[in-house]
Amino acid sequence: KIFKLLILIAFITVEIKAQTKGPSYAKGNFIDDYNIKYTINDTLWVQHPNIKYHIVKWNVEGQYLVAKNGSGHKADENKYTRIDFMTFKGMAPWHWGFCLTSYKALTDKEAEQTAAADRKNPRKGCNGYPFSRMKAVSEQ
């Protein structure tokens, strides 16, 4: 029984780690096609100069993350955001993009349950607007 319990704990640990790490292409320093700068890692999404999203969960398979709004969100601080993301082909230097699908949910569950952005139509699939396209930059 102890062996089975250890296996279960190991599996749960792997599952938790899988949900706390984002895809490598979405981590680093970026600039979007609106000339806004970002720094993104496994736990924090910063829209420079001072808007912060504290990442609660990455769902790489579902291509979204859920974050708690931090400083810089005047009316929506401490609310929750769902950010959907996708990769692009043939749009270099824009290799991926994102959509703020929900940005003022009262709970992380509410944000996560928001309907996904329409990745089949990245030009209008973000609540009627295009996904913000991202390209890597060397530093902020």
Side-chain angles (χ1 to χ4, degrees):
K1 289 185 177 185
I2 293 174
F3 181 71
K4 287 182 181 178
L5 181 59
L6 290 174
I7 296 289
L8 180 61
I9 290 170
F11 177 76
I12 290 169
T13 302
V14 169
E15 187 66 25
I16 289 169
K17 285 183 181 175
Q19 293 180 352
T20 59
K21 296 209 180 267
S24 59
Y25 67 80
K27 294 187 289 188
N29 296 308
F30 302 93
I31 192 164
D32 71 13
D33 49 1
Y34 299 99
N35 213 30
I36 299 169
K37 295 179 181 178
Y38 301 82
T39 300
I40 304 165
N41 63 39
D42 287 324
T43 61
L44 188 63
W45 177 299
V46 179
Q47 179 179 322
H48 293 284
N50 60 1
I51 296 176
K52 293 182 180 176
Y53 299 90
H54 300 275
I55 300 169
V56 175
K57 175 182 182 180
W58 286 92
N59 186 323
V60 176
E61 186 176 309
Q63 295 181 287
Y64 68 88
L65 66 87
V66 176
K68 186 171 186 177
N69 299 349
S71 61
H73 297 267
K74 290 180 172 55
D76 302 321
E77 191 168 352
N78 294 317
K79 292 183 181 171
Y80 290 85
T81 292
R82 174 182 166 135
I83 300 175
D84 285 21
F85 51 88
M86 66 180 293
T87 56
F88 300 127
K89 294 191 187 312
M91 277 196 220
W94 314 105
H95 296 290
W96 70 281
F98 76 92
C99 172
L100 294 175
T101 309
S102 171
Y103 54 88
K104 56 183 175 182
L106 298 179
T107 67
D108 58 335
K109 295 290 183 205
E110 180 185 332
E112 187 167 12
Q113 292 172 354
T114 301
D118 181 3
R119 291 181 186 83
K120 292 180 181 171
N121 187 6
R123 293 183 193 270
K124 293 190 182 211
C126 182
N127 302 309
Y129 296 95
F131 274 68
S132 294
R133 298 181 301 170
M134 302 286 270
K135 69 176 176 180
V137 294
S138 55
E139 58 183 69
Q140 294 299 321

